[in-house]
Amino acid sequence: MRHARNNELTDRRSAAADAKTALLMAYRAAKMAAEPAQAARQAERSSLIEAREARRAKRERLKVEERTRAETVAAQEHAAIEAAAAAEIEARQSAENARISGLVQDEAARKTERDRRYAARKARQA
């Protein structure tokens, strides 16, 4: 009986080893069969990653262009405001100069008129 029991144990051991070997062979066969599909999935993943990176780069480029455009517009507006301020200052200055010139001419005309009246009065008295 003891010998039968050992045979039974060795049978179980060999059956387990055979099963393990069969599983290993099945795994290797499945791995070999799935290798083209895995390569295709990997290629698809890499193409998705490249597309994602291209979209990200495009978004970044658009952001930079928008920021540059906004800075350009802001600089143009700032220059326009400065030009308008300079034009306004020059217009005020020319208006002030014209007013002063007008006052000087009015004063000269009044002095001339006063001198004419004074001369006419002196001529009548003489």
Side-chain angles (χ1 to χ4, degrees), residues 35-105:
E35 196 166 307
Q38 183 181 7
R41 282 194 311 269
Q42 184 63 29
E44 184 181 354
R45 285 181 189 144
S46 64
S47 68
L48 288 175
I49 289 171
E50 289 173 3
R52 187 180 308 129
E53 286 297 317
R55 288 191 308 268
R56 185 194 59 76
K58 184 179 178 182
R59 279 194 311 269
E60 289 296 321
R61 182 176 46 83
L62 290 175
K63 283 182 185 178
V64 168
E65 288 175 358
E66 182 62 30
R67 189 178 310 124
T68 304
R69 186 171 35 251
E71 288 173 356
T72 303
V73 168
Q76 289 173 348
E77 289 175 355
H78 184 68
I81 290 171
E82 285 182 356
E88 183 180 344
I89 289 171
E90 188 170 330
R92 285 182 184 174
Q93 188 67 33
S94 66
E96 182 69 18
N97 289 342
R99 188 181 67 79
I100 290 172
S101 172
L103 289 176
V104 168
Q105 288 176 353

Side-chain angles (χ1 to χ4, degrees), residues 6 32 80 89:
N6 283 341
M32 293 295 260
I89 289 171

